[in-house]
Amino acid sequence: MASRKESSGAAGSGFGASKGKGKAPATGDSAVKQVVLKIIKHYQEEGQGNEVVQGVLLGLVVDDRLEITNCFPFPQHTEDDADFDEVQYQMEMMRSLRHVNIDHLHVGWYQSTYYGSFVTRALLDSQFSYQHAIEESVVLIYDPIKTAQGSLSLKAYRLTPKLMEVCKEKDFSPEALKKANIAYENMFEEVPIVIKNSYLINVMLWELEKKSGVADRHELLSLASSNHLGKSLQLLMDRVDEMSQDIVKYNTYLRNVSKQQQQKHQYQQRRQQENIQRQSRGEAPLPEEDINKLFKPPQPPPRMESLLIAGQINTYCQNIKEFNAQNLGKLFMAQALQDYNN
């Protein structure tokens, strides 16, 4: 794969992520490891179908850049491995890397995704833990399905400051999210990525590009994409169904609140009438009561799951949009190639 710019980065062996949003990372030489290739290799060895692989990112902070220079995978273990300590494993790995003078500072983690299905509560909780402990940490999302279609799909994300504050408070009620002005659009921020090859790898890639046959490149113009489009649409419909169920729960909560308000109003009216009658008989009014104890307000359903589902729906829609745009481009290129051959 030639070293070329993508929407989220370029193929290569190491990269820097800008800590300041919108700032371009510097391009100075640095000793980099084959991070991207390690992530791809990890998925090819252990990722099967929709199984997710994860690992730790190592590197250092230089000025306004987060330079990721190494990584190692989380080992696959089953429920039978009850004595496996993941934290201890990470500490042992970083200690070993430090002994051989390799960058060992923990700067985030990576995860593969299945058709873009990464906007989940598990990812949110994990990234919050990383970012709370290490302010500069990011999560890298590697999409093997998009990558197999001809372009490296690797993106870096962080939680926005607003969402970090909400997660610290652990209050995901509708009122708290509304007060913080949290919507799915401002839950995550994408960090720009620059992936950098060493000069030797650049030379090798150019040599491979020269040797590649023109016929092999024609495979990239294939329009056989019904499986990818169908799967993306199916996942999108599943998330829409989940959103509908969440809306039903919220509407039920609103109905319960309205019903309880009516009951409280009727109770207050009865007490007021009874007090008027007692006063006419010369009796003392009824003692004051805490009406909130008699009518406990129903617990509002947490809205964080709804926001995550909305974010995932947006991701699927973007994937389908990009997919259709790619196919349209392939169609024009195939027609142009056919006209040229004729």
Side-chain angles (χ1 to χ4, degrees):
M1 185 182 295
S3 176
R4 62 184 186 275
K5 295 291 181 182
E6 305 290 351
S7 60
S8 59
S13 54
F15 60 91
S18 172
K19 290 169 62 181
K21 191 174 182 180
K23 298 180 181 179
T27 56
D29 292 340
S30 61
V32 294
K33 306 298 179 183
Q34 298 183 7
V35 178
V36 177
L37 297 181
K38 285 184 178 180
I39 295 175
I40 295 174
K41 183 173 181 288
H42 182 199
Y43 176 81
Q44 290 177 342
E45 290 180 347
E46 298 186 6
Q48 299 292 334
N50 60 353
E51 186 175 350
V52 172
V53 298
Q54 298 176 330
V56 175
L57 298 174
L58 306 173
L60 65 161
V61 178
V62 180
D63 297 329
D64 63 345
R65 304 191 314 276
L66 176 65
E67 294 190 357
I68 301 173
T69 57
N70 204 351
C71 68
F72 62 84
F74 289 141
Q76 294 285 355
H77 57 276
T78 63
E79 297 179 355
D80 298 333
D81 303 328
D83 57 343
F84 178 78
D85 190 338
E86 193 169 282
V87 176
Q88 183 65 26
Y89 168 78
Q90 294 183 41
M91 297 300 295
E92 289 294 336
M93 284 293 297
M94 288 187 287
R95 189 178 297 112
S96 300
L97 292 172
R98 182 178 58 193
H99 288 164
V100 294
N101 200 26
I102 295 177
D103 291 335
H104 61 279
L105 296 180
H106 205 158
V107 294
W109 61 297
Y110 69 85
Q111 174 182 306
S112 65
T113 182
Y114 180 68
Y115 285 94
S117 305
F118 64 90
V119 186
T120 62
R121 184 60 181 271
L123 181 135
L124 174 66
D125 293 339
S126 297
Q127 180 57 24
F128 170 73
S129 298
Y130 275 91
Q131 207 165 318
H132 182 65
I134 308 168
E135 184 180 357
E136 298 85 2
S137 63
V138 298
V139 54
L140 283 182
I141 302 296
Y142 166 64
D143 193 329
I145 296 176
K146 280 188 178 181
T147 301
Q149 295 175 358
S151 61
L152 176 65
S153 178
L154 189 70
K155 295 186 178 182
Y157 293 98
R158 287 170 48 83
L159 302 186
T160 59
K162 287 184 178 181
L163 186 58
M164 285 293 294
E165 290 298 324
V166 172
C167 291
K168 287 179 183 178
E169 297 295 331
K170 297 182 180 180
D171 184 3
F172 304 120
S173 63
E175 292 77 13
L177 295 178
K178 183 179 180 180
K179 181 179 179 181
N181 195 23
I182 295 291
Y184 72 87
E185 296 93 344
N186 56 9
M187 293 176 63
F188 297 92
E189 59 181 3
E190 184 176 351
V191 182
I193 294 178
V194 170
I195 301 181
K196 186 174 178 296
N197 292 329
S198 69
Y199 296 114
L200 291 177
I201 291 181
N202 279 331
V203 172
M204 182 190 72
L205 291 175
W206 282 114
E207 290 295 327
L208 292 176
E209 187 176 17
K210 290 178 182 178
K211 293 179 181 180
S212 62
V214 177
D216 296 333
R217 300 181 188 179
H218 292 174
E219 296 179 359
L220 297 177
L221 301 180
S222 173
L223 299 179
S225 53
S226 58
N227 290 338
H228 297 296
L229 181 59
K231 187 62 179 177
S232 296
L233 289 172
Q234 181 61 52
L235 291 170
L236 175 60
M237 289 187 293
D238 292 342
R239 296 294 86 76
V240 171
D241 289 340
E242 291 179 6
M243 177 63 75
S244 299
Q245 295 173 9
D246 234 35
I247 292 174
V248 170
K249 293 179 182 178
Y250 188 67
N251 288 336
T252 302
Y253 161 73
L254 293 179
R255 286 195 299 270
N256 291 336
V257 170
S258 178
K259 183 178 179 181
Q260 188 183 73
Q261 290 296 333
Q262 293 178 358
Q263 292 174 348
K264 288 171 64 176
H265 182 66
Q266 293 173 358
Y267 177 78
Q268 288 174 335
Q269 284 185 331
R270 288 196 303 268
R271 283 182 61 87
Q272 186 177 7
Q273 292 175 358
E274 188 172 352
N275 280 332
I276 293 176
Q277 294 175 359
R278 291 173 67 92
Q279 186 177 7
S280 65
R281 295 194 300 265
E283 299 177 358
L286 295 173
E288 293 291 335
E289 293 181 341
D290 188 354
I291 196 169
N292 291 325
K293 291 183 178 180
L294 295 175
F295 298 92
K296 293 184 179 179
Q299 189 70 20
R303 300 297 291 165
M304 182 56 69
E305 292 297 334
S306 299
L307 291 179
L308 292 171
I309 293 173
Q312 191 60 66
I313 289 175
N314 181 68
T315 300
Y316 287 141
C317 291
Q318 291 295 330
N319 289 346
I320 294 172
K321 181 180 178 181
E322 293 174 5
F323 182 78
N324 290 335
Q326 289 175 359
N327 270 3
L328 185 60
K330 289 179 181 180
L331 184 61
F332 284 134
M333 292 176 65
Q335 184 63 45
L337 184 61
Q338 183 178 1
D339 293 343
Y340 176 80
N341 292 333
N342 292 337

